[in-house]
Amino acid sequence: MEQIIAQVIGGALGGLGGGKAVKGADMGNIGNLIAGALAVIFVGYSETLAAGRAMASKHGYGIDTDQELTAEGVACLGAGLVGGFVNDGSLSKTSVGDAAGQKSQMASLIDAVFVLLTMLFLASLFDNLPSAVLGAVVIDAMVGLIDFRTMARY
């Protein structure tokens, strides 16, 4: 029988991270750090707005881009203060939540609790999960955001 080799996630780190500072960060690297930070800001904000606009278009409501930027900034500042990772809106998470019938912020808080519990207690279960499975989950979630009727016009 032929053996199939697939890249697996391997070594999924659990826990909360511990709030350690970035190694090698000093004033000599500030230019590179600022350039990288600006890139993360623009890409993250763009994805946040794309997710918000996709849902606003689908459900017939508007979004306040200034409020989105403020919320993004506060969340990233909070993450930075505790040694966390920057965050942004997620097209795939948004579409999964919408498909599941998520209607309020409470659903996002419940999601956060389950993510935290997974990080603390279940991370090792993902060690042997093929990376392609994660890709398939994201692709499946994103298909729900594609508006084929609008694409047909072009």
Side-chain angles (χ1 to χ4, degrees), residues 76-124:
C76 287
L77 179 65
L81 291 174
V82 297
F85 192 73
V86 296
N87 53 70
D88 59 45
S90 169
L91 288 167
S92 57
K93 182 186 171 298
T94 300
S95 63
V96 166
D98 185 57
Q102 184 172 326
K103 301 287 183 208
S104 71
Q105 295 296 331
M106 182 56 75
S108 292
L109 291 174
I110 292 169
D111 288 347
V113 168
F114 280 112
V115 167
L116 181 64
L117 291 173
T118 300
M119 288 170 46
L120 292 173
F121 304 112
L122 303 175
S124 63

Side-chain angles (χ1 to χ4, degrees), residues 45-65 68 89-99 102-103 141-148 150:
Y45 185 57
S46 297
E47 187 174 7
T48 298
L49 285 182
R53 286 183 175 158
M55 290 300 111
S57 173
K58 182 175 181 178
H59 296 292
Y61 60 84
I63 61 169
D64 181 357
T65 55
E68 295 290 328
S90 169
L91 288 167
S92 57
K93 182 186 171 298
T94 300
S95 63
V96 166
D98 185 57
Q102 184 172 326
K103 301 287 183 208
M142 296 301 291
V143 167
L145 290 176
I146 299 172
D147 184 1
F148 291 104
T150 302

Side-chain angles (χ1 to χ4, degrees), residues 124-135:
S124 63
L125 296 177
F126 297 101
D127 285 349
N128 294 321
L129 184 70
S131 298
V133 171
L134 290 180

